[in-house]
Amino acid sequence: NAGVTQTPKFRVLKTGQSMTLLCAQDMNHEYMYWYRQDPGMGLRLIHYSVGEGTTAKGEVPDGYNVSRLKKQNFLLGLESAAPSQTSVYFCASSPNPGQGGGYTFGSGTRLTVV
Amino acid sequence: GQQLNQSPQSMFIQEGEDVSMNCTSSSIFNTWLWYKQEPGEGPVLLIALYKAGELTSNGRLTAQFGITRKDSFLNISASIPSDVGIYFCAGRASGTYKYIFGTGTRLKVLA
C-alpha cells in the first residue's frame, strides 16, 4: 500500500518563482490536509479539504493556494515563493475524523527558497 | 493558532530507561492521538485513544487518555536506540474534524 505519496521530495526555488507540490492518497479518504513544519513550531495547518472540490483555509494560508479536483489528489501551490516559505511540507489524509482513526502522513517535501 | 502544551520539549536518556511525556490542553478533547516522527520522514500514528481513562498499549508504548479529558500521557518502557525521534500528541474536540498538534517531544537515546 502506497498510502500518501508526496512529490517532489526536495526542491530549491528562487524568490519569486512558483511551484506546485503534489499529494496523492490511495486509501479513498475524504479529508486531506497540508501542513508545514518549522523548527520549534510543530505542525501548522496551511489548507485542508473535506471532500473533492472543496478547500478551506487553515491557520497559515497566506501565500499558498490549493486545489482538490480529484478525491485522491490535493495540490499545494506557491505563486511567488518567499524565503519565509522555506520549510518541510507534509500532506496528510484521513477518513471523517468523527468516525475514528487519525491522519496518515506523507514523507514530506523539503523546500528551500533562496 | 491553538496548540497543545507538550512536555518535555526534549529528553536525553540512557538506553534501557523508561520515558514519560505528556500533553495538556485548555479544551476538552474526544480523541487523543500519539505520533512518532523519525528524521526525514512524516509522522506515523502510534496510538489512538477515544475514551476518558482509556489505557492503550502498542508494544513498549503505553498511552492514557486523561480523566479530565484535557490531557494525555505517553510512556515508553525500556528505551532502545530506535526510539529516537520526535513524538507528537494531537487532540480533537467534539463537533470538530480537525486535530490540533502539540509542538513535539524530541527524544534522544544514548547507547
Side-chain angles (χ1 to χ4, degrees):
Chain A
N1 289 338
V4 177
T5 303
Q6 290 183 236
T7 54
K9 292 191 181 301
F10 303 93
R11 185 73 187 269
V12 178
L13 284 180
K14 293 184 178 179
T15 298
Q17 285 186 320
S18 63
M19 80 164 293
T20 301
L21 281 66
L22 309 179
C23 178
Q25 52 98 0
D26 62 1
M27 296 168 287
N28 202 35
H29 284 166
E30 286 293 332
Y31 291 63
M32 296 188 75
Y33 316 82
W34 275 106
Y35 285 87
R36 60 178 289 174
Q37 184 177 35
D38 302 293
M41 300 291 288
L43 291 160
R44 292 186 293 169
L45 183 64
I46 305 171
H47 285 281
Y48 64 99
S49 168
V50 301
E52 180 179 316
T54 76
T55 63
K57 295 180 180 180
E59 30 173 340
V60 288
D62 294 342
Y64 305 95
N65 56 75
V66 288
S67 64
R68 183 105 181 263
L69 298 180
K70 293 183 178 180
K71 185 177 183 178
Q72 62 267 35
N73 297 332
F74 196 28
L75 279 58
L76 177 71
L78 286 73
E79 290 186 348
S80 179
S84 61
Q85 294 178 304
T86 293
S87 187
V88 182
Y89 291 86
F90 288 101
C91 175
S93 71
S94 74
N96 185 332
Q99 298 169 354
Y103 297 175
T104 300
F105 284 87
S107 57
T109 295
R110 187 174 295 274
L111 176 66
T112 303
V113 182
V114 297
Chain B
Q2 183 182 1
Q3 285 194 316
L4 303 176
N5 293 318
Q6 192 171 345
S7 65
Q9 287 188 338
S10 62
M11 303 179 73
F12 288 80
I13 61 169
Q14 293 286 340
E15 184 178 358
E17 289 184 350
D18 296 343
V19 173
S20 292
M21 59 189 78
N22 67 77
C23 215
T24 59
S25 168
S26 57
S27 305
I28 290 175
F29 287 144
N30 277 10
T31 306
W32 283 97
L33 306 175
W34 284 93
Y35 284 86
K36 178 188 178 186
Q37 183 180 23
E38 298 187 3
E41 297 294 328
V44 174
L45 183 64
L46 298 173
I47 294 175
L49 303 161
Y50 301 106
K51 210 162 60 169
E54 180 180 353
L55 193 69
T56 298
S57 293
N58 178 1
R60 294 177 295 103
L61 278 62
T62 301
Q64 185 167 21
F65 194 136
I67 294 291
T68 65
R69 296 169 65 190
K70 293 184 176 182
D71 52 13
S72 182
F73 311 90
L74 178 69
N75 295 312
I76 305 173
S77 62
S79 58
I80 59 178
S82 62
D83 289 334
V84 164
I86 304 174
Y87 292 80
F88 290 100
C89 62
R92 185 181 67 85
S94 174
T96 69
Y97 46 78
K98 284 184 288 181
Y99 283 93
I100 300 169
F101 283 83
T103 50
T105 293
R106 187 179 297 270
L107 178 65
K108 296 195 176 181
V109 179
L110 306 174

